[in-house]
Amino acid sequence: MSGEDNLLRLVEAEEPDENNYHLQDQVGFILRKAHQRHVAIFAAHIADLTPPQFAALAKLYDIGETSQNQLGTLIAMDAATVKGVIDRLKARGLVELSKHEVDKRRLLVNLTPEGREAIERLIPLARAITEETLAPLTAKEAATFLRLLAKLA
Amino acid sequence: MSGEDNLLRLVEAEEPDENNYHLQDQVGFILRKAHQRHVAIFAAHIADLTPPQFAALAKLYDIGETSQNQLGTLIAMDAATVKGVIDRLKARGLVELSKHEVDKRRLLVNLTPEGREAIERLIPLARAITEETLAPLTAKEAATFLRLLAKLA
DNA sequence: TTGATATCATTTGCATACGAATGAATTTGC
DNA sequence: GCAAATTCATTCGTATGCAAATGATATCAA
């Protein structure tokens, strides 16, 4: 291509490339796709539990009995969402609910023995899910990525 | 701390820290939170459209008329999801649908003049959304992050 | 103490998101 | 040229995710 052609292209271009909006370059769009891919990897390893359900069990395993509201805060779910997640875990016998003795507003959530057995069985699979999600990156890249991602979250 | 103390800690520890599972360090959990934060930033700037709806309009603005299915592929939505998004955009008069003349299976989607006006008005806001989402990072960090995120997505 | 606030949980409504099943139309393979 | 496989769109069911409204309870403050 000649210099004249380049000049012509610049003159004729109604919208220079720098002014175009490319959805596929936007952080929000890529974030959504990366999240989708992770959920698919999760489902391939753990078919009978969703990531939010797993998060609830893992957090209860970590900290023990807590209120539904507090659990929601810890796993980044609003009150309406956490209620649905806990309801489904309760229906499957993985958590049990009880009323707080002192503060009658609070609904306490705890693992059942079945729930504890389940999360202990699943945690090794969760480590594999993390590993597979990060597999496109080298170890050094993964560390950098996690550091920067945490700053955004 | 003495050497004996370190030895004691190792002997007494039932679960050394390296063996514990910390939800808040897992890539999937942080990815979910980062995505949540982005959606909240989006909603603060563009109240009358969701990110998927915006993605559909932006992609149609970029490539012009296309089939519903093809659009779904381009914006990473399965057929069931894209149908709902397009239905709602159609109900608001931002896109119009027509049948493909040759391939009678296909449903063509295109921007209406109102849809075109809307996306042209919103793209500057979308740039601000991207900027605010990446604000916790320096310019160099943001570039690194986007590069690694793209490898994951 | 009591009236205003705040917190906890629930419910409703709307919008993704995806698997699975279905039907219509097209393309492929022999 | 025709049966099999594929593609496109739709529908149903289930599960987040969040805003807004509501009711019960608890805390704060004058």
Side-chain angles (χ1 to χ4, degrees):
Chain A
M1 189 186 287
S2 73
E4 284 83 351
D5 283 339
N6 276 324
L7 183 60
L8 196 60
R9 284 192 347 127
L10 280 174
V11 169
E12 285 183 345
E14 292 181 7
E15 292 177 312
D17 213 42
E18 296 76 24
N19 288 343
N20 282 343
Y21 181 84
H22 297 300
L23 183 68
Q24 63 273 21
D25 297 334
Q26 306 303 309
V27 63
F29 183 71
I30 317 178
L31 218 37
R32 177 169 149 272
K33 288 214 298 176
H35 182 247
Q36 281 178 355
R37 173 172 168 271
H38 167 75
V39 172
I41 292 171
F42 188 101
H45 284 79
I46 301 179
D48 59 342
L49 226 50
T50 65
Q53 290 167 0
F54 176 85
L57 294 184
K59 185 53 74 175
L60 286 173
Y61 183 66
D62 190 17
I63 66 167
E65 185 175 64
T66 187
S67 74
Q68 191 173 273
N69 218 45
Q70 174 66 9
L71 179 61
T73 299
L74 293 171
I75 59 180
M77 286 178 212
D78 74 7
T81 301
V82 79
K83 185 189 189 311
V85 172
I86 293 304
D87 278 355
R88 285 180 284 275
L89 291 175
K90 176 171 182 281
R92 293 173 54 178
L94 299 176
V95 302
E96 55 192 0
L97 304 179
S98 57
K99 289 179 181 173
H100 192 286
E101 283 303 309
V102 177
D103 187 340
K104 295 178 186 172
R105 294 170 305 178
R106 296 189 199 175
L107 187 62
L108 296 175
V109 189
N110 206 356
L111 292 177
T112 60
E114 293 76 21
R116 177 170 297 270
E117 189 271 336
I119 192 64
E120 287 176 348
R121 176 174 52 81
L122 293 175
I123 281 177
L125 302 185
R127 294 188 198 279
I129 289 166
T130 292
E131 201 175 317
E132 185 172 339
T133 298
L134 291 172
L137 306 181
T138 66
K140 190 177 178 182
E141 285 175 335
T144 300
F145 176 74
L146 284 174
R147 180 175 62 81
L148 299 179
L149 181 63
K151 288 180 79 171
L152 280 199
Chain B
M1 190 186 286
S2 74
E4 285 81 354
D5 283 340
N6 278 323
L7 183 59
L8 196 59
R9 285 195 341 130
L10 280 174
V11 169
E12 286 182 344
E14 293 180 6
E15 292 178 312
D17 212 45
E18 296 76 24
N19 288 344
N20 282 342
Y21 182 83
H22 296 301
L23 184 68
Q24 64 274 19
D25 297 334
Q26 305 305 307
V27 63
F29 183 71
I30 316 177
L31 217 38
R32 177 168 150 271
K33 289 214 298 176
H35 182 247
Q36 280 179 356
R37 173 172 169 270
H38 167 75
V39 172
I41 291 171
F42 188 102
H45 285 79
I46 299 179
D48 60 342
L49 225 50
T50 64
Q53 288 167 1
F54 175 86
L57 295 184
K59 185 53 75 176
L60 287 173
Y61 184 64
D62 190 15
I63 67 166
E65 184 176 64
T66 188
S67 74
Q68 191 174 272
N69 217 47
Q70 174 66 8
L71 180 62
T73 300
L74 293 171
I75 59 181
M77 286 177 212
D78 74 6
T81 301
V82 79
K83 184 188 189 314
V85 173
I86 293 304
D87 279 354
R88 285 180 285 275
L89 291 175
K90 176 171 181 279
R92 292 173 55 179
L94 300 177
V95 302
E96 55 191 359
L97 305 179
S98 57
K99 289 179 182 172
H100 193 286
E101 283 302 309
V102 176
D103 188 339
K104 295 179 184 171
R105 294 170 306 178
R106 296 191 198 173
L107 187 62
L108 295 175
V109 189
N110 206 356
L111 292 176
T112 60
E114 294 77 20
R116 178 169 296 269
E117 189 272 336
I119 191 64
E120 287 177 349
R121 177 173 52 82
L122 294 175
I123 281 177
L125 302 185
R127 293 188 199 280
I129 289 166
T130 291
E131 201 174 317
E132 185 172 339
T133 298
L134 292 172
L137 306 182
T138 66
K140 191 176 177 181
E141 285 176 334
T144 301
F145 177 74
L146 284 174
R147 180 175 61 82
L148 299 180
L149 181 62
K151 288 180 78 171
L152 280 199

